[in-house]
Amino acid sequence: MKDDVESREDRTAGLKGLGCARRRVEDLRFTQGKGNYVDDIKLPGMLHGDFVRSPYAHARIKSIDASAALALDGVVAVLTAEDLAPLGLHWMPTLAGDKQMVLADGKVLFQGQEVAFVVARDRYVAADAVELVEVEYEDLPVITDPFESLKSDVVLREDLEPGADGAHGPRKHHNHIFTWEVGDKETTEQVLEEAEVVAEEMVYYHRTHPCPLETCGAVASMDKVNGKLTIYGTFQAPHAVRTVVSLLSGIEEHNIRVISPDIGGGFGNKVGVYPGYVCSVVASIVTGKPVKWVEDRMENLMSTAFARDYWMQGKIAATREGKITGLWCHTTADHGGFDACADPTKFPAGFMNICTGSYDIPVAYLAVDGVYTNKAPGGVSYRCSFRVTEAIYFIERMIEVLAIKLNVDAAELRRINFIRKDQFPYQSALGWEYDSGDYHTAWDKALAAVDYKGLREEQAQRVEDFKAGKTRKLMGVGLTFFTEIVGAGPVKNCDILGLGMFDSCEIRIHPTGSAIARLGTISQGQGHATTFAQILASEIGLPADSITIEEGDTDTAPYGLGTYGSRSTPVAGAATAMAGRKIRAKAQMIAAYLLEVHDDDVEFDIDRFVVKGAPERFKTMKEIAFAAYNQAIPGIEPGLEAVSYYDPPNMTYPFGAYVCVMDIDVDTGVPEIRRFYALDDCGTRINPMIIEGQVHGGLTEALAVALGQEIAYDDLGNVKTGTLMDFFLPTAWETPNYETDHTVTPSPHHPIGAKGVGESPHVGGVPCFSNAVNDAFRAFGLTHTQMPHDHWRIWKTANRLGLHG
Amino acid sequence: MIPAPFEYYRPREMAAVLALLAEHGDEARVMAGGHSLIPMMKLRMAEVPHLIDLQDVEGLSGITVSGGEIRLGAMVTQAEIIDSKELAQAAPILREAALQIADPQVRAMGTVGGNVANGDPGNDMPGLMQCLGARFTLVGPEGEREVAARDFYEAAYMTERDDDEVLTAVAFAVPEGGYAYEKQKRKIGDYATAAAAVQIRREGASCAAASIAMTNLSDTPVWSEAAAEALVGTELGPEAIEAAVTAMLAEIDPSEDNRGPVEFKRHAAVVILRRAIARAWSRA
């Protein structure tokens, strides 16, 4: 037999399991244009929907006249809030416990808000009809600033009962949403009072948008004969959508099938429920025909969920030697017209309380006030776990501000404050238990790799040259050490709309030794079909190439909470390993029977069970699979299948050390990234090639956010960045070269020790790019300048510091 | 992003184009590469009930260099400009500028005629053509006429071209001396924050002739005769350059947009022009 001569190394390599840089199985279809996205779905008789949207940021709706639109040949219906009201669907609940208008109910609260839904024979007629719907508006005063909003007499949300509590407790003002407090306020304030040194800064993390390449869309199809509703959509959490649709519509859940086909990027933008989804469902129910709605780029940028928009007022206390003694943060969170933030229910500001970062800070206090303004709703986690980018940007700016205040090196300041390896599992002052880490090792490796000392010497020389008029370019060294909190999460504290955030995997081994595994998650480009097969290959000893991974169809996949917040590997990846172990346990019994020994006398070895002490006696997993279906084994059911629902005992805490070297032209404000080094520790590494791809992608989105990507409004609430001309989406041309590196500190509680990586580079990348810009001007007296660091803002900083002569 | 309904025409002869323009008046527009017009139609900011595609019309293509004169048919694409060896030799500033327009996909479709005729202050070719002293050929019901690029632009999207005329070619004398097209932009595909086209002819140690035009710093391209004159006869010392920059600043009128406030744009214009002059001089 071939197996007899194959070495253990060859057998391991043949599986393409954990650690293999296996090529992505998805790419064959994506690179050939054979993907199947929502807009590729065409059903017989399908109608098309399009929205009439508000040009105003705040206005009362006096009247809507759809008669001209309805008279246009090919227009089937025009839905308004009045039509949805009898079904109770003119408003919908948000993930944050607020409610949001599906179609404008008497007023609009942001530019681009959905006012009416036109349904027509084709996409073109629908667009023409949108122009024909006449809406009479009466403008109302517009508020785009959250601080002003909290002082304003203008009531944005007239639907909310004055003085009544919101979903997260008392509201202090009619435009206030919630206050969320964590930590020890009294002690923190006392520490600040008594501290030797206190550094203070207002750190603003501007409003931006995840901007996936594929915009949001849905195709709803109500089959009135068998009572089944099928919804294809850009859903990062298809099972949760099914449950929510059932609760909202009253249609029994078994009669609803939600399918997420191929998804062209999500980055948090596709977690929430949008009016377009609801309207296409209602329109299909009303017309009895399938209805497609796909938004265009401008609609995506203007109306679907934004990210960030946090004003973070910080105070950090330390000894003169630089040991941090306390951290205080008050955040004013601009949520726009509705609180449609996508966070676990008990966390209205997500995991913002990870803001103590990678540092051993004995006491801390965080308060977050959510505020309504006349901007689009949202507040999603754009390539990060819930609000972790905000938290890490905050602490990584504050530590730099403290370094300036203390006049010390920022790398050394980090080092003396890191949580030490022997402190893990570490209880943070704001309530988290960090699972594992070795920060000092990672930091030393990173600083050595970039010759940190050499960089600082070069920078000092540059400052001298600049002062001597020899150069007009300054040099910045951006540092970041981040700790992410991902893998939501333990059902005891993480749920969304009451749905516990476990995840799942169901495996069927076929008689010939191949398999299909289905999961409750859904890939949007992460490469699940590649990596989950690798986890299984190592667990069950069948080649990854013989394992199909399927996600996204609620009629076939086991229930799960979907893909966002880097939760797929920590939660569904764990479920996959656990389900694989159930397969292996049964396989062990079958092998023992076939080898005529006791169960305990066989052991698993790569792709087979061998008799202990007699390695020549074995049954391969392939043979065992065949036997499972074709041999009557006493006491063992036929078949080889398993399902696992995994409720993680804790989050995982990936971390990393990043260094960015940047040259800045002070005359044009143009930054040039000379070098970017990224060390990531995501625990056990499943596929190094996919990790590298994730790091490159996350860093590029970080570059975008730090250097110019924003959703900006004028004073009237008009979106100034509604197209890709003004909204910065980097191409290969703007993207620098990245050097990637790693250390491996497995998670102690995850079945295979993996932690998740997709969002780390974004979380760590944004502060690293921003710190480089800030650092370039440190020698000239700059403490902090706000993002985004586009040309004119960098120029303004240089100008303010008197560098233009 | 769905345009209003429109009729699409694809004539083969200029006479047919002119007939369509005569028939439909300002309800008709001609289209070259379409990279400005089609987005405007999709945004429903431009309504064009009759769209006349020029791509099959004879006589609008080709790059010719002869007798000290360069002629570009209106339908010559940016990609063709970049790929033309003849042009790279005769007027390298065109290639340098074209490489800074949009991205390869857009350049494969975008044409010189469309770029200069549309009157968008963000387009790079109008300023470049003013720098080169180009002439635009316009064909209309009355026949053919030539208009100097320096006289062509009236305001944003407003030009000397009448609604019933078609811009068919761009011609200019083979430029002499050093050149530079310097452009600051936020990202690929962006219009200029500030851009400068400079041609300088050197005789001995001093500047014999110069031409300077600025892009996206006013509602039309700005050909600054005074800035160029400040250089002529000098050895381009700091004072001459300062005088050129000051003259240029007196003629631009940038407005605030997402690229930055006016103050920044004026500063960027100075920096960009200084760099363009330095590079052109180094090549002269």
Side-chain angles (χ1 to χ4, degrees), chain B residues 91-236:
Chain B
I93 192 170
L94 256 72
R95 186 168 194 274
E96 183 161 295
L99 279 168
Q100 297 181 65
I101 295 174
D103 55 62
Q105 283 167 302
V106 172
R107 296 198 289 257
M109 291 296 285
T111 64
V112 64
N115 199 294
V116 299
N118 197 36
D120 185 333
N123 285 349
D124 292 283
M125 288 285 168
L128 178 62
M129 292 305 160
Q130 290 195 339
C131 172
L132 294 170
R135 304 174 314 277
F136 300 156
T137 303
L138 301 173
V139 175
E142 314 291 321
E144 200 174 281
R145 64 177 178 130
E146 274 198 341
V147 178
R150 292 170 189 169
D151 299 329
F152 188 71
Y153 299 96
E154 295 166 350
Y157 304 104
M158 306 277 285
T159 66
E160 259 294 306
R161 186 185 61 83
D162 290 331
D163 282 346
D164 55 3
E165 288 181 308
V166 180
L167 191 151
T168 57
V170 172
F172 49 92
V174 172
E176 294 176 16
Y179 67 91
Y181 193 80
E182 181 81 20
K183 179 177 180 180
Q184 180 172 353
K185 57 184 176 180
R186 297 172 296 179
K187 56 175 183 173
I188 200 125
D190 196 16
Y191 291 137
T193 302
V198 174
Q199 281 279 158
I200 298 180
R201 190 159 59 81
R202 178 175 182 158
E203 274 174 17
S206 63
C207 167
S211 183
I212 291 173
M214 308 298 291
T215 290
N216 215 16
L217 291 160
S218 195
D219 67 345
T220 62
V222 174
W223 178 65
S224 179
E225 198 171 4
E229 274 173 8
L231 300 180
V232 176
T234 75
E235 293 185 2
L236 263 66

Side-chain angles (χ1 to χ4, degrees), chain A residues 123-124 127-128 131 296 298 665 667-668 670 720 724-728 731 733-734 791-792 795 804, chain B residues 1-5 43-44 184-191 258-261 263-264 267 271 275:
Chain A
R123 185 68 189 79
Y124 297 89
D128 291 342
E131 298 277 293
D296 66 29
M298 290 179 74
D665 182 331
D667 293 319
T668 57
V670 176
K720 291 160 67 183
L724 296 185
M725 173 64 88
D726 288 310
F727 183 86
F728 178 35
T731 65
W733 194 75
E734 291 88 2
H791 298 175
W792 75 266
W795 176 85
H804 294 138
Chain B
M1 300 288 210
I2 305 269
L43 291 168
R44 298 195 178 218
Q184 180 172 353
K185 57 184 176 180
R186 297 172 296 179
K187 56 175 183 173
I188 200 125
D190 196 16
Y191 291 137
N258 288 326
R259 291 175 192 83
E263 190 194 10
F264 166 64
H267 192 268
V271 174
R275 288 179 187 177

